[in-house]
Amino acid sequence: MGKPAADLDGLNPDHAHLRTPILVIIILGIVTAQVVEVCVRRLGTMVRRGAELEEVI
């Protein structure tokens, strides 16, 4: 098995310092998308059950 991010080994040395920030931004984007999905599903469930806004707050 190759080392992690082996495809970035040929990266231009001038841009090598961007490897970590780019990976962090990608990971945070994925986590954000998952949190949004969970919130939308929960809201959809509340709407289907007919929950009043006062009950949620």
Short mmCIF file of all heavy atoms in Angstrom, two decimals:
data_model
loop_
_atom_site.label_atom_id
_atom_site.label_comp_id
_atom_site.label_asym_id
_atom_site.label_seq_id
_atom_site.Cartn_x
_atom_site.Cartn_y
_atom_site.Cartn_z
N MET A 1 0.85 -1.16 0.00
CA MET A 1 0.00 0.00 0.00
C MET A 1 0.90 1.23 0.00
O MET A 1 1.87 1.31 0.72
CB MET A 1 -0.90 -0.02 1.23
CG MET A 1 -1.83 1.14 1.25
SD MET A 1 -3.39 0.77 1.98
CE MET A 1 -3.37 1.20 3.61
N GLY A 2 0.55 2.22 -0.83
CA GLY A 2 1.34 3.44 -0.94
C GLY A 2 1.11 4.36 0.24
O GLY A 2 0.23 4.17 1.06
N LYS A 3 1.95 5.34 0.32
CA LYS A 3 1.79 6.29 1.40
C LYS A 3 0.65 7.26 1.09
O LYS A 3 0.30 7.47 -0.07
CB LYS A 3 3.08 7.04 1.68
CG LYS A 3 3.74 7.63 0.48
CD LYS A 3 5.08 8.22 0.85
CE LYS A 3 5.56 8.96 -0.38
NZ LYS A 3 6.66 9.80 -0.18
N PRO A 4 0.03 7.85 2.12
CA PRO A 4 -1.10 8.77 1.91
C PRO A 4 -0.68 9.96 1.04
O PRO A 4 0.41 10.49 1.17
CB PRO A 4 -1.48 9.23 3.31
CG PRO A 4 -0.84 8.26 4.23
CD PRO A 4 0.32 7.66 3.52
N ALA A 5 -1.56 10.38 0.17
CA ALA A 5 -1.36 11.54 -0.69
C ALA A 5 -0.12 11.38 -1.57
O ALA A 5 0.57 12.34 -1.87
CB ALA A 5 -1.28 12.82 0.13
N ALA A 6 0.17 10.13 -1.97
CA ALA A 6 1.32 9.88 -2.83
C ALA A 6 1.17 10.57 -4.17
O ALA A 6 2.17 10.89 -4.82
CB ALA A 6 1.51 8.38 -3.01
N ASP A 7 -0.06 10.82 -4.59
CA ASP A 7 -0.27 11.48 -5.88
C ASP A 7 0.19 12.94 -5.84
O ASP A 7 0.37 13.56 -6.87
CB ASP A 7 -1.72 11.40 -6.31
CG ASP A 7 -2.66 12.01 -5.29
OD1 ASP A 7 -2.31 12.02 -4.10
OD2 ASP A 7 -3.74 12.46 -5.69
N LEU A 8 0.40 13.47 -4.66
CA LEU A 8 0.87 14.85 -4.53
C LEU A 8 2.38 14.95 -4.46
O LEU A 8 2.93 16.03 -4.31
CB LEU A 8 0.25 15.51 -3.29
CG LEU A 8 -1.27 15.66 -3.30
CD1 LEU A 8 -1.74 16.24 -1.98
CD2 LEU A 8 -1.72 16.54 -4.45
N ASP A 9 3.09 13.82 -4.56
CA ASP A 9 4.54 13.83 -4.48
C ASP A 9 5.17 14.65 -5.61
O ASP A 9 6.20 15.28 -5.42
CB ASP A 9 5.11 12.41 -4.50
CG ASP A 9 4.98 11.73 -3.16
OD1 ASP A 9 4.77 12.43 -2.16
OD2 ASP A 9 5.08 10.49 -3.13
N GLY A 10 4.57 14.64 -6.79
CA GLY A 10 5.12 15.37 -7.92
C GLY A 10 4.72 16.83 -7.93
O GLY A 10 4.94 17.53 -8.91
N LEU A 11 4.16 17.29 -6.84
CA LEU A 11 3.68 18.67 -6.74
C LEU A 11 4.85 19.64 -6.86
O LEU A 11 5.93 19.41 -6.32
CB LEU A 11 2.97 18.87 -5.40
CG LEU A 11 2.23 20.18 -5.17
CD1 LEU A 11 1.08 20.30 -6.15
CD2 LEU A 11 1.71 20.23 -3.76
N ASN A 12 4.62 20.71 -7.56
CA ASN A 12 5.62 21.76 -7.71
C ASN A 12 6.05 22.24 -6.32
O ASN A 12 5.21 22.56 -5.49
CB ASN A 12 5.01 22.91 -8.51
CG ASN A 12 5.99 24.02 -8.80
OD1 ASN A 12 7.03 24.14 -8.17
ND2 ASN A 12 5.65 24.83 -9.78
N PRO A 13 7.36 22.29 -6.04
CA PRO A 13 7.81 22.70 -4.71
C PRO A 13 7.32 24.10 -4.30
O PRO A 13 7.18 24.39 -3.12
CB PRO A 13 9.34 22.70 -4.83
CG PRO A 13 9.64 21.80 -5.97
CD PRO A 13 8.47 21.89 -6.90
N ASP A 14 7.03 24.94 -5.29
CA ASP A 14 6.52 26.27 -4.97
C ASP A 14 5.11 26.21 -4.37
O ASP A 14 4.69 27.12 -3.67
CB ASP A 14 6.49 27.16 -6.22
CG ASP A 14 7.88 27.46 -6.74
OD1 ASP A 14 8.84 27.40 -5.93
OD2 ASP A 14 8.01 27.74 -7.94
N HIS A 15 4.40 25.12 -4.66
CA HIS A 15 3.03 24.97 -4.18
C HIS A 15 2.90 23.91 -3.09
O HIS A 15 1.79 23.65 -2.61
CB HIS A 15 2.10 24.61 -5.33
CG HIS A 15 2.08 25.64 -6.41
ND1 HIS A 15 2.48 25.35 -7.69
CD2 HIS A 15 1.76 26.94 -6.40
CE1 HIS A 15 2.39 26.44 -8.44
NE2 HIS A 15 1.95 27.43 -7.66
N ALA A 16 3.99 23.30 -2.69
CA ALA A 16 3.95 22.22 -1.71
C ALA A 16 3.40 22.69 -0.36
O ALA A 16 2.77 21.92 0.35
CB ALA A 16 5.34 21.61 -1.53
N HIS A 17 3.60 23.94 -0.02
CA HIS A 17 3.13 24.45 1.27
C HIS A 17 1.60 24.54 1.33
O HIS A 17 1.03 24.70 2.39
CB HIS A 17 3.74 25.82 1.56
CG HIS A 17 3.27 26.90 0.63
ND1 HIS A 17 3.76 27.03 -0.64
CD2 HIS A 17 2.36 27.87 0.79
CE1 HIS A 17 3.15 28.06 -1.23
NE2 HIS A 17 2.29 28.58 -0.38
N LEU A 18 0.94 24.39 0.20
CA LEU A 18 -0.52 24.47 0.16
C LEU A 18 -1.20 23.13 0.39
O LEU A 18 -2.42 23.06 0.49
CB LEU A 18 -0.97 25.03 -1.20
CG LEU A 18 -0.52 26.45 -1.51
CD1 LEU A 18 -0.91 26.81 -2.94
CD2 LEU A 18 -1.11 27.42 -0.53
N ARG A 19 -0.42 22.06 0.48
CA ARG A 19 -0.99 20.71 0.61
C ARG A 19 -1.89 20.60 1.84
O ARG A 19 -3.05 20.20 1.75
CB ARG A 19 0.13 19.68 0.68
CG ARG A 19 -0.39 18.27 0.87
CD ARG A 19 0.72 17.28 1.05
NE ARG A 19 1.54 17.23 -0.15
CZ ARG A 19 2.54 16.40 -0.30
NH1 ARG A 19 2.86 15.57 0.65
NH2 ARG A 19 3.23 16.39 -1.42
N THR A 20 -1.39 20.98 3.00
CA THR A 20 -2.16 20.84 4.24
C THR A 20 -3.40 21.74 4.25
O THR A 20 -4.50 21.24 4.57
CB THR A 20 -1.27 21.12 5.46
OG1 THR A 20 -0.17 20.20 5.44
CG2 THR A 20 -2.05 20.96 6.75
N PRO A 21 -3.29 23.02 3.91
CA PRO A 21 -4.51 23.85 3.93
C PRO A 21 -5.59 23.35 2.96
O PRO A 21 -6.77 23.39 3.29
CB PRO A 21 -4.02 25.24 3.51
CG PRO A 21 -2.58 25.25 3.83
CD PRO A 21 -2.11 23.84 3.68
N ILE A 22 -5.18 22.86 1.80
CA ILE A 22 -6.16 22.35 0.84
C ILE A 22 -6.86 21.12 1.40
O ILE A 22 -8.09 21.00 1.30
CB ILE A 22 -5.49 22.06 -0.51
CG1 ILE A 22 -5.11 23.37 -1.19
CG2 ILE A 22 -6.40 21.23 -1.41
CD1 ILE A 22 -4.27 23.20 -2.44
N LEU A 23 -6.10 20.21 1.99
CA LEU A 23 -6.71 19.01 2.56
C LEU A 23 -7.65 19.35 3.71
O LEU A 23 -8.72 18.76 3.86
CB LEU A 23 -5.63 18.03 3.02
CG LEU A 23 -4.81 17.38 1.90
CD1 LEU A 23 -3.70 16.54 2.49
CD2 LEU A 23 -5.69 16.56 0.99
N VAL A 24 -7.27 20.32 4.54
CA VAL A 24 -8.13 20.74 5.66
C VAL A 24 -9.42 21.35 5.14
O VAL A 24 -10.51 21.05 5.65
CB VAL A 24 -7.37 21.73 6.57
CG1 VAL A 24 -8.32 22.40 7.56
CG2 VAL A 24 -6.25 21.03 7.31
N ILE A 25 -9.32 22.19 4.11
CA ILE A 25 -10.53 22.81 3.54
C ILE A 25 -11.45 21.74 2.96
O ILE A 25 -12.67 21.80 3.14
CB ILE A 25 -10.13 23.85 2.48
CG1 ILE A 25 -9.51 25.07 3.17
CG2 ILE A 25 -11.33 24.27 1.63
CD1 ILE A 25 -8.86 26.05 2.22
N ILE A 26 -10.89 20.75 2.28
CA ILE A 26 -11.71 19.68 1.71
C ILE A 26 -12.40 18.89 2.81
O ILE A 26 -13.61 18.60 2.74
CB ILE A 26 -10.85 18.76 0.82
CG1 ILE A 26 -10.44 19.52 -0.44
CG2 ILE A 26 -11.58 17.48 0.48
CD1 ILE A 26 -9.41 18.80 -1.29
N ILE A 27 -11.68 18.54 3.86
CA ILE A 27 -12.27 17.77 4.96
C ILE A 27 -13.36 18.57 5.66
O ILE A 27 -14.44 18.05 5.96
CB ILE A 27 -11.17 17.33 5.95
CG1 ILE A 27 -10.28 16.28 5.30
CG2 ILE A 27 -11.77 16.81 7.25
CD1 ILE A 27 -9.03 15.94 6.06
N LEU A 28 -13.10 19.86 5.92
CA LEU A 28 -14.13 20.70 6.55
C LEU A 28 -15.36 20.85 5.66
O LEU A 28 -16.49 20.89 6.16
CB LEU A 28 -13.55 22.08 6.89
CG LEU A 28 -12.55 22.11 8.04
CD1 LEU A 28 -11.98 23.51 8.21
CD2 LEU A 28 -13.19 21.63 9.33
N GLY A 29 -15.16 20.91 4.35
CA GLY A 29 -16.29 20.98 3.43
C GLY A 29 -17.15 19.73 3.49
O GLY A 29 -18.38 19.80 3.48
N ILE A 30 -16.50 18.57 3.57
CA ILE A 30 -17.24 17.30 3.66
C ILE A 30 -18.02 17.24 4.97
O ILE A 30 -19.19 16.85 5.00
CB ILE A 30 -16.27 16.11 3.52
CG1 ILE A 30 -15.72 16.06 2.09
CG2 ILE A 30 -16.95 14.80 3.90
CD1 ILE A 30 -14.59 15.08 1.90
N VAL A 31 -17.38 17.61 6.07
CA VAL A 31 -18.06 17.60 7.38
C VAL A 31 -19.24 18.57 7.38
O VAL A 31 -20.32 18.24 7.88
CB VAL A 31 -17.06 17.93 8.51
CG1 VAL A 31 -17.77 18.17 9.83
CG2 VAL A 31 -16.03 16.83 8.65
N THR A 32 -19.05 19.75 6.79
CA THR A 32 -20.13 20.73 6.72
C THR A 32 -21.32 20.17 5.93
O THR A 32 -22.47 20.32 6.34
CB THR A 32 -19.63 22.03 6.07
OG1 THR A 32 -18.56 22.54 6.86
CG2 THR A 32 -20.74 23.06 5.97
N ALA A 33 -21.03 19.54 4.81
CA ALA A 33 -22.10 18.95 4.00
C ALA A 33 -22.86 17.88 4.78
O ALA A 33 -24.09 17.78 4.70
CB ALA A 33 -21.53 18.38 2.71
N GLN A 34 -22.15 17.08 5.56
CA GLN A 34 -22.81 16.03 6.34
C GLN A 34 -23.68 16.63 7.45
O GLN A 34 -24.79 16.14 7.70
CB GLN A 34 -21.77 15.09 6.94
CG GLN A 34 -21.09 14.24 5.90
CD GLN A 34 -20.01 13.36 6.48
OE1 GLN A 34 -19.50 13.61 7.58
NE2 GLN A 34 -19.65 12.33 5.74
N VAL A 35 -23.22 17.68 8.09
CA VAL A 35 -24.01 18.34 9.14
C VAL A 35 -25.27 18.94 8.53
O VAL A 35 -26.37 18.81 9.09
CB VAL A 35 -23.17 19.41 9.87
CG1 VAL A 35 -24.05 20.29 10.74
CG2 VAL A 35 -22.07 18.76 10.68
N VAL A 36 -25.15 19.58 7.38
CA VAL A 36 -26.31 20.16 6.71
C VAL A 36 -27.31 19.06 6.36
O VAL A 36 -28.52 19.23 6.55
CB VAL A 36 -25.89 20.95 5.45
CG1 VAL A 36 -27.08 21.29 4.57
CG2 VAL A 36 -25.13 22.20 5.84
N GLU A 37 -26.82 17.93 5.87
CA GLU A 37 -27.71 16.82 5.51
C GLU A 37 -28.48 16.32 6.73
O GLU A 37 -29.69 16.09 6.65
CB GLU A 37 -26.90 15.68 4.90
CG GLU A 37 -27.75 14.51 4.48
CD GLU A 37 -26.94 13.37 3.89
OE1 GLU A 37 -25.73 13.52 3.70
OE2 GLU A 37 -27.54 12.31 3.63
N VAL A 38 -27.81 16.18 7.86
CA VAL A 38 -28.48 15.71 9.08
C VAL A 38 -29.54 16.71 9.52
O VAL A 38 -30.66 16.33 9.87
CB VAL A 38 -27.45 15.45 10.20
CG1 VAL A 38 -28.13 15.26 11.54
CG2 VAL A 38 -26.58 14.26 9.86
N CYS A 39 -29.21 18.00 9.48
CA CYS A 39 -30.17 19.03 9.89
C CYS A 39 -31.39 19.05 8.98
O CYS A 39 -32.53 19.17 9.46
CB CYS A 39 -29.49 20.39 9.91
SG CYS A 39 -28.27 20.57 11.22
N VAL A 40 -31.19 18.92 7.69
CA VAL A 40 -32.31 18.92 6.75
C VAL A 40 -33.19 17.70 6.97
O VAL A 40 -34.42 17.80 6.93
CB VAL A 40 -31.79 19.01 5.29
CG1 VAL A 40 -32.89 18.72 4.30
CG2 VAL A 40 -31.17 20.37 5.03
N ARG A 41 -32.57 16.55 7.21
CA ARG A 41 -33.37 15.34 7.47
C ARG A 41 -34.20 15.48 8.74
O ARG A 41 -35.37 15.11 8.79
CB ARG A 41 -32.47 14.11 7.59
CG ARG A 41 -31.97 13.61 6.28
CD ARG A 41 -31.19 12.35 6.46
NE ARG A 41 -30.65 11.92 5.19
CZ ARG A 41 -30.24 10.69 4.96
NH1 ARG A 41 -30.29 9.79 5.91
NH2 ARG A 41 -29.76 10.37 3.78
N ARG A 42 -33.59 16.04 9.78
CA ARG A 42 -34.33 16.23 11.04
C ARG A 42 -35.48 17.21 10.85
O ARG A 42 -36.58 17.00 11.36
CB ARG A 42 -33.39 16.71 12.13
CG ARG A 42 -32.43 15.62 12.59
CD ARG A 42 -31.66 16.03 13.80
NE ARG A 42 -32.58 16.17 14.92
CZ ARG A 42 -32.23 16.68 16.08
NH1 ARG A 42 -31.01 17.10 16.29
NH2 ARG A 42 -33.12 16.77 17.06
N LEU A 43 -35.23 18.29 10.12
CA LEU A 43 -36.28 19.27 9.86
C LEU A 43 -37.40 18.64 9.04
O LEU A 43 -38.59 18.86 9.32
CB LEU A 43 -35.70 20.48 9.13
CG LEU A 43 -36.66 21.62 8.84
CD1 LEU A 43 -37.26 22.15 10.14
CD2 LEU A 43 -35.94 22.73 8.10
N GLY A 44 -37.04 17.84 8.04
CA GLY A 44 -38.05 17.15 7.24
C GLY A 44 -38.89 16.21 8.07
O GLY A 44 -40.11 16.12 7.90
N THR A 45 -38.27 15.51 9.02
CA THR A 45 -39.00 14.61 9.91
C THR A 45 -39.97 15.40 10.78
O THR A 45 -41.11 14.99 10.98
CB THR A 45 -38.01 13.83 10.79
OG1 THR A 45 -37.13 13.09 9.95
CG2 THR A 45 -38.73 12.88 11.72
N MET A 46 -39.53 16.54 11.29
CA MET A 46 -40.41 17.37 12.13
C MET A 46 -41.60 17.88 11.32
O MET A 46 -42.73 17.91 11.83
CB MET A 46 -39.63 18.56 12.70
CG MET A 46 -38.66 18.20 13.78
SD MET A 46 -37.89 19.68 14.41
CE MET A 46 -36.23 19.14 14.62
N VAL A 47 -41.36 18.27 10.08
CA VAL A 47 -42.45 18.77 9.24
C VAL A 47 -43.45 17.65 8.97
O VAL A 47 -44.66 17.86 9.03
CB VAL A 47 -41.89 19.35 7.93
CG1 VAL A 47 -43.00 19.62 6.93
CG2 VAL A 47 -41.11 20.63 8.20
N ARG A 48 -42.96 16.45 8.68
CA ARG A 48 -43.86 15.33 8.41
C ARG A 48 -44.70 14.97 9.63
O ARG A 48 -45.84 14.56 9.51
CB ARG A 48 -43.06 14.11 7.96
CG ARG A 48 -42.94 14.04 6.45
CD ARG A 48 -42.20 12.81 6.01
NE ARG A 48 -40.79 13.24 5.98
CZ ARG A 48 -39.78 12.49 6.34
NH1 ARG A 48 -39.95 11.25 6.74
NH2 ARG A 48 -38.55 12.95 6.29
N ARG A 49 -44.12 15.12 10.80
CA ARG A 49 -44.87 14.83 12.03
C ARG A 49 -45.79 15.96 12.43
O ARG A 49 -46.58 15.82 13.37
CB ARG A 49 -43.88 14.55 13.17
CG ARG A 49 -43.14 13.26 13.02
CD ARG A 49 -42.24 13.03 14.20
NE ARG A 49 -41.49 11.79 14.03
CZ ARG A 49 -40.48 11.43 14.77
NH1 ARG A 49 -40.08 12.21 15.76
NH2 ARG A 49 -39.86 10.31 14.57
N GLY A 50 -45.65 17.10 11.77
CA GLY A 50 -46.52 18.24 12.06
C GLY A 50 -46.11 19.00 13.30
O GLY A 50 -46.95 19.59 13.97
N ALA A 51 -44.83 19.00 13.61
CA ALA A 51 -44.36 19.72 14.80
C ALA A 51 -44.54 21.21 14.62
O ALA A 51 -44.30 21.77 13.56
CB ALA A 51 -42.87 19.41 15.03
N GLU A 52 -45.00 21.85 15.68
CA GLU A 52 -45.16 23.29 15.67
C GLU A 52 -43.81 23.93 15.95
O GLU A 52 -42.96 23.34 16.61
CB GLU A 52 -46.15 23.70 16.77
CG GLU A 52 -47.52 23.12 16.61
CD GLU A 52 -48.40 23.98 15.73
OE1 GLU A 52 -48.11 25.18 15.63
OE2 GLU A 52 -49.36 23.45 15.17
N LEU A 53 -43.61 25.14 15.49
CA LEU A 53 -42.34 25.83 15.69
C LEU A 53 -42.07 26.02 17.18
O LEU A 53 -40.94 25.92 17.63
CB LEU A 53 -42.34 27.19 14.96
CG LEU A 53 -41.06 27.98 15.03
CD1 LEU A 53 -39.90 27.20 14.44
CD2 LEU A 53 -41.20 29.31 14.32
N GLU A 54 -43.10 26.27 17.95
CA GLU A 54 -42.92 26.48 19.38
C GLU A 54 -42.39 25.22 20.06
O GLU A 54 -41.68 25.30 21.04
CB GLU A 54 -44.24 26.90 20.04
CG GLU A 54 -44.73 28.27 19.64
CD GLU A 54 -45.44 28.27 18.29
OE1 GLU A 54 -45.99 27.23 17.89
OE2 GLU A 54 -45.41 29.32 17.62
N GLU A 55 -42.76 24.05 19.55
CA GLU A 55 -42.28 22.79 20.12
C GLU A 55 -40.80 22.59 19.88
O GLU A 55 -40.12 21.96 20.67
CB GLU A 55 -43.05 21.61 19.54
CG GLU A 55 -44.53 21.59 19.86
CD GLU A 55 -45.24 20.48 19.13
OE1 GLU A 55 -44.57 19.57 18.61
OE2 GLU A 55 -46.47 20.53 19.06
N VAL A 56 -40.32 23.12 18.78
CA VAL A 56 -38.94 22.90 18.39
C VAL A 56 -38.00 23.82 19.17
O VAL A 56 -36.92 23.43 19.56
CB VAL A 56 -38.77 23.15 16.86
CG1 VAL A 56 -37.32 23.01 16.46
CG2 VAL A 56 -39.65 22.20 16.09
N ILE A 57 -38.45 25.03 19.42
CA ILE A 57 -37.58 26.03 20.08
C ILE A 57 -37.48 25.77 21.56
O ILE A 57 -38.27 25.43 22.28
CB ILE A 57 -38.08 27.46 19.80
CG1 ILE A 57 -37.97 27.73 18.31
CG2 ILE A 57 -37.31 28.48 20.59
CD1 ILE A 57 -38.50 29.09 17.89
#
